[in-house]
Amino acid sequence: MYNYGLDIWGENNYIIEDGKVKLNYLSKPAIIDIVKEIRKKGIKGPILLRFPHLIQKQIDNIYSHFRRASKENNYKGSFNAVFPLKVNQFPNFVTSLLEKGEKYHYGLEAGSKAELFIAMAYNNKNAPITVNGFKDEEMIMLGFIAARMGYNITLTIEGLNELESIIQIAKKTPKHATLPNIGLRIRLHSSGIGIWAKSGGINSKFGLTSTELVTAIELLREKNLLDNFTMIHFHIGSQITEITPMKKALREAGNIYADLKKMGAKNLHAINIGGGLAVEYSQHEEYHQKNYSIREFANDIVFMLQTIAQSKKVQEPDIFIESGRYIAASHAVLTAPVLELFSQEYHESSLKLKENNPPLITELFELYKTINANTALEYLHDSIDHMESLLTLFDLGYIDLIDRSNTEILIHLIIKKAMNLLKNKPHKELISIQERIQERYLINFSIFQSLPDYWGLGQNFPVMPLSKLNETPVRSASLWDITCDSDGEIEFNIKKPLFLHDVDIKKEEYFLGFFLVGAYQEILGMKHNLFTHPTEATIEIDENGYKIKNILESQSIYDILEDLDYDMKEVERRLKNNLDEIKNLSEKERDTILGQIYLFLNDNTYLKTVQK
Ligand SMILES: *Cc1c(COP(=O)(O)O)cnc(C)c1O
């Protein structure tokens, strides 16, 4: 069975059964059934499904592996985790996350004032908050307020000037008030790898050099704040696909930790290793993205930190982790209807053969009529050659537009027939011509909005149809979104081929699922062509079925324009004026059109044609 690499990226979260992809959890609902139920409520276009049980699974995984590794090594430090809000700040995700993480005291990481406000309003009270990123005085003041609210908050200093601000603000804070903890971000000479590796390393945007660290310690001591210094932090970049750079960073950080303690930082007790835990996005065996498991990751970190602490004779540090991608990616699946297959319009009935056709067209017609399983490949080759000759003849003026149209139709009919005849015999040569005879699937979604990392970084996300999985897909597929930008395309790549089914969209619905889109994609999504965040829903699965919760419809056109600061009263006035200028418009017609305008303004921007 063709399983779209589910065994590589799926983490046992899905199964294929009855031709459908289903959640591998409790009542095992099929994604397509959930989508159809939501669409029954009148919702069309792409729908983003959130599965809280998959958030739970990732949180359980990370805590259980670190707890196991700590136990096996008799590690003395504690394990703590926070979720970096920049990975997904959407409320229906964040509230699920905090609910699922409550029993572990799972906290939040904030990188901006707005994110810090989310943390201060929603973080579980016993759970830590860490604050990274560049900070102004206002942001540091917010951190002090959070500490007074009772949060266990650590402000990680990115540069010495931030430390100066902390010192100033601490001076103005009443003596009895609880102060935030202070963390120092260290600049490592080792760095990450891959397309996201810009956060670590000696030239990185962030962190204190050794010299600055020594200055910071002296400054803290002088201002009586050294006892508030509790944590060192680093982050070597996202999607760390090999474990080696992490080990290098740990070795460096572990030694810095030990030396800072020896320099008198007596309350320093934690190493925050940032994020970077990778997600396997590949659908193809040859393109595995990560070479370690969470088990190995946890073992290595615990073992490495223990070894350094023991050899330098300092207390084993508490471990803090800020993994975001690993926690959030799997929880969201984007589902989108296929609107059209571009070659679908080519039917035998559309042929306009003449009394006297150019000989190559007569030959193409013969090939089409007589092709069988044994000749399929040969005929396919011949017909592609004929097509190229015919197109040249057209350019030279020897055949006309009708001949050219007949060529187009015949070639598509032959391809279709050949693909069906060859369906069950995967053939090397067939694969080699697949690139030339791909089908274009028009999908009701925007790549800029929903898969921005594909557009910006060439990051692939697993994609598969939600149904028909008991039939062999025969069409090599390129996917087109509905923006009018030619970058809004996922091209067919012979090295990582995507095959989809040959469907007649007028007769049956066909949906694609894009998986592992829960990290970064939503907030990075752009409103290019004014396509906004798709409709979302949270799906809670139980033993008997599932519940659809928190449906949030994609923004209406009215709201989108208002967000751009169009004065909507003015827009309405202008539209009405234009209506009034139409000559011969009856009162009744005017009202009807006005009604339509209001109706359409209150719809979202995704397409409603054909399959809606
Ligand atoms: C982005 C970021 C993270 C999260 O990284 P992931 O690769 O998503 O786990 C953690 N910590 C800091 C400081 C970050 O900037």
Side-chain angles (χ1 to χ4, degrees), residues 383-434:
S383 36
I384 289 174
D385 285 346
H386 289 351
M387 174 188 72
E388 273 157 15
S389 308
L390 282 159
L391 290 177
T392 310
L393 289 175
F394 178 80
D395 290 346
L396 298 173
Y398 291 114
I399 65 170
D400 64 16
L401 197 57
I402 297 291
D403 297 325
R404 183 169 156 162
S405 151
N406 288 333
T407 309
E408 260 170 32
I409 295 167
L410 281 167
I411 198 83
H412 278 104
L413 292 173
I414 291 167
I415 289 168
K416 252 189 195 182
K417 220 166 156 184
M419 291 294 182
N420 273 315
L421 289 166
L422 293 167
K423 172 147 71 181
N424 297 317
K425 343 180 178 165
H427 202 293
K428 261 197 211 133
E429 262 191 88
L430 186 63
I431 293 179
S432 76
I433 52 176
Q434 231 123 24

Side-chain angles (χ1 to χ4, degrees), residues 82-84 86-87 109 130 132-133 158 185 196 199 206 233-235 237-240 272-278 321-327 519-520:
V82 289
F83 179 81
K86 79 160 187 279
V87 179
E109 184 264 359
T130 61
N132 302 316
E158 310 273 355
R185 183 156 179 170
W196 284 284
S199 311
F206 301 109
H233 173 247
F234 66 86
H235 170 66
S238 203
Q239 185 71 351
I240 302 297
N272 180 343
I273 64 170
L277 194 46
I321 194 168
E322 297 176 332
S323 272
R325 186 184 298 278
Y326 177 82
I327 297 291
Y520 298 100

Side-chain angles (χ1 to χ4, degrees), residues 96 110 193 218 475 490 496 611:
S96 281
I193 47 167
E218 282 165 0
R475 302 309 308 262
I490 300 178
K496 310 173 187 173
Q611 209 202 23

Side-chain angles (χ1 to χ4, degrees), residues 100 245 293 351 477 493 530:
K100 303 296 180 194
S293 63
L351 278 174
N493 179 346
L530 301 186

Side-chain angles (χ1 to χ4, degrees), residues 478-492:
S478 60
L479 309 181
W480 286 16
D481 76 4
I482 53 170
T483 66
C484 59
D485 190 313
S486 55
D487 281 341
E489 180 189 1
I490 300 178
E491 282 178 55
F492 181 75

